[in-house]
């Protein structure tokens, strides 16, 4: 779910239970109204360098926890 800074929903992507969060990051960035985000927050399921680069490409920072088994931190 994509929310504003007050936690109000702006959009969401519904996937099957077996879908990886990480692969849905770009879809969530585009969900809802066209807004300029300053940051993207997510849990470890969104941890990937590709997702961090997507956010940087639009001028936003990521606040995503690293997976404990991540390489190249």
């Amino acid at each position: 779910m994509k929310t504003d800074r007050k936690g109000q929903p702006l959009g969401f992507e519904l996937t099957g239970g077996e879908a990886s969060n990480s692969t849905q990051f770009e879809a969530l960035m585009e969900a809802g109204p066209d807004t300029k985000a300053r940051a993207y927050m997510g849990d470890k399921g969104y941890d990937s360098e590709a997702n961090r680069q997507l956010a940087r490409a639009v001028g936003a920072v990521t606040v995503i926890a690293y997976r404990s088994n991540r390489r190249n931190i």
Side-chain angles (χ1 to χ4, degrees):
M1 178 177 289
K2 181 178 180 180
T3 66
D4 65 12
R5 63 182 163 187
K6 295 180 181 179
Q8 298 297 314
L10 297 175
F12 69 94
E13 281 292 311
L14 185 61
T15 63
E18 71 284 344
S20 169
N21 287 350
S22 185
T23 62
Q24 302 303 312
F25 187 77
E26 187 172 10
L28 279 172
M29 287 176 66
E30 296 172 359
D34 191 20
T35 59
K36 172 120 172 84
R38 292 183 278 169
Y40 288 98
M41 300 173 67
D43 63 14
K44 294 178 185 182
Y46 294 97
D47 177 30
S48 78
E49 191 54 36
N51 289 343
R52 294 173 195 280
Q53 288 178 2
L54 280 170
R56 283 188 215 115
V58 296
V61 298
T62 56
V63 183
I64 299 173
Y66 291 100
R67 292 186 315 264
S68 61
N69 63 346
R70 181 182 165 115
R71 296 181 182 157
N72 302 326
I73 294 180

